[in-house]
Amino acid sequence: MACSIVFNRSMSGGRTGGDGSLEKEFGGLSVSRRLVGSVSRRLKRKAGRRGGEDVGGRIPHSGCLGVYSKPRCGGGGGGGCRVGVDTTCDDFRGCRRRGGIAGGGRPTKPTPNEAAAEEARFQLPDDVLEMCLARLPLSSLMSARLVCRRWRVLTKTPHFDRMRSPHRTPWLFLFGVSPGRVHVLDVSLDRWHRIDAFDALHGRFSYSVITIGRDIYVVGGRSSAAGSGTLRTHRGVWVFTPLSNTWRKASPMRSQRSAPVLGVFEVRRGCPDFKTDRRARLPRSRTGGASDVYEDPHRLSIRRQESRPSKARESSDSGAKAFVLIAVGGQGNWDEPLETAEIYDPASDRWIEIAKLPGDFGVVCSGAVCKNRFFVCSESNKLAFYDLESGIWVSVQIARSPSRLHEYCPKLVSGGDHRLFMLCVSWYERRQLLNTREEAVRKMWELDMNARAWREVSRHPDAPMDWNAAFVADGGLIFGLEMFKVFGQALDFLTVCDVSKAVPRWRHISRKNGAAQYNADASSCLAKSMAVLNL
């Protein structure tokens, strides 16, 4: 402003006055130049405090002139772009993108198209991402589904579920220890988890659990009637899906049962006794068989097979596998042992009564499915099986039953599809020098189908302290849980035996005392039940 005043004065003086007046005005002009230099330095220092000053008090160039007549590019503080610059040049575009950093202003937010393009540069192909996510443990996979929609959709396709099958690990589900809670052990990571199930299991005990596919069925049980103090025996069945953490009710049994003996048959969909509507069980794809995030250029993916016509799909699925649940024995409403049995078909959600146990069989205490036959044993060392195809019970005559302590009930487990094992507690003698000592041990016996005799194959490493030890089989692995209370503290021992090896041996799988976490007492140690799933 001072420069303009002096310039106006000099112009006016040049028109009216002589040479003397011009000299006076030019002398004042020299003073005004110093003033302009001082103002310019002040403006430069102010721009440097805003983020654009370099070492030595200079403003970096970065494609823009230090002219302060217009705002700087990028929406920052003081400064402006080159006067008359071509806005289509690369320097101008770069100045707009980097104006917040190089020009002293705030960084500009990229447009949605630019952000999507930048994100696509660092994305893995879907097939590579599937292979990476399929190898994650279940807990890590659940966290990965929360990253973005793409990962969530990708990990919920049937193709991804088939890819993850070889990488699943066993999870042990412990029921009946804490009221209204389920305790879960991730065997691979040796980590305990807790699931609240107050709506389904609160006040309920003496029920049995078994797995069908990816679901866990809770069958029967007892509870205290409200206000009366009497016990009530249930017919209800609850179904728990761990992957979605949901509970639902299934059709109730025909008889009231507590602690029934359960087994699962694998049958064909075309079985005449369990003929169901196959079309209701077929999976339907919303995208015509192709994934939302994956395109198969060779048309060889398994997911493409789901887009076949319905008639061809029905003809190929006529021999697909299904499962049925059998419930035998247990105790009735008046603590009487039951001899009845019934079968549940999950496809039709209905129960069917079958033939009763043999009349002189006794109280059934354990059972397992082997060779598509449901074997049960009684407290009187009798063995029988139910043939699903013929629908009858067949007694098995054993040449010599293992000697055992009757205080410990035997437990039947199936190692694979063709091997039947029994765990029981018995005495054995061990001679050391001149001393003879008798000890109680838990032995594992295998049934020889041809000779119809039991032979000892292994011995459990822990002393038999639990009257109701839980054993469950998963393929060639047999998991065992013994829980008891000593001096006011609950202890548990988790073991596993690989029966696929030539010499089966037991080993401990968890050194953590899980019973201390859920405050188990003496009653819960006796009422516990266990199931295993590969997740």
Side-chain angles (χ1 to χ4, degrees), residues 9 36 73 219 371 373 435 443 447 508:
R9 290 176 59 187
V36 169
C73 59
V219 183
K371 291 185 177 181
R373 298 173 178 176
N435 297 327
K443 299 180 181 180
L447 179 63
H508 291 85

Side-chain angles (χ1 to χ4, degrees), residues 326-347:
I326 181 172
V328 180
Q331 295 180 346
N333 200 22
W334 305 100
D335 293 340
E336 74 277 9
L338 301 178
E339 299 178 353
T340 58
E342 45 190 319
I343 283 182
Y344 171 72
D345 183 14

Side-chain angles (χ1 to χ4, degrees), residues 59 105 138 173 226 257 259 280 298 333 429 438 485:
I59 299 178
L138 179 62
F173 293 81
R257 301 177 189 271
H298 304 291
N333 200 22
E429 294 182 358
E438 292 183 342
K485 201 166 187 179

Side-chain angles (χ1 to χ4, degrees), residues 78-136:
C81 289
R82 193 175 305 164
V83 178
V85 70
D86 186 7
T87 57
T88 62
C89 67
D90 295 338
D91 293 339
F92 180 78
R93 290 195 297 268
C95 183
R96 289 193 62 183
R97 289 194 298 267
R98 300 187 300 270
I101 299 176
R106 292 178 296 180
T108 59
K109 185 176 180 181
T111 62
N113 294 334
E114 292 178 351
E118 188 71 16
E119 182 182 358
R121 292 177 54 191
F122 302 99
Q123 283 185 357
L124 291 173
D126 291 333
D127 52 351
V128 178
L129 185 59
E130 277 182 334
M131 291 187 291
C132 296
L133 295 176
R135 287 163 172 80
L136 291 178

Side-chain angles (χ1 to χ4, degrees), residues 201-238:
L201 303 179
H202 183 62
R204 200 169 175 180
F205 59 94
S206 295
Y207 49 80
S208 300
V209 298
I210 200 168
T211 60
I212 301 180
R214 302 294 180 82
D215 299 330
I216 300 178
Y217 284 71
V218 181
V219 183
R222 285 186 173 181
S223 64
S224 299
S228 61
T230 59
L231 296 179
R232 174 191 173 189
T233 306
H234 292 275
R235 300 187 301 124
V237 178
W238 283 89

Side-chain angles (χ1 to χ4, degrees), residues 413-427:
V413 289
S414 177
D417 297 333
H418 305 286
R419 303 179 68 182
L420 183 66
F421 298 91
M422 180 177 66
L423 292 107
C424 62
V425 177
S426 59
W427 298 100

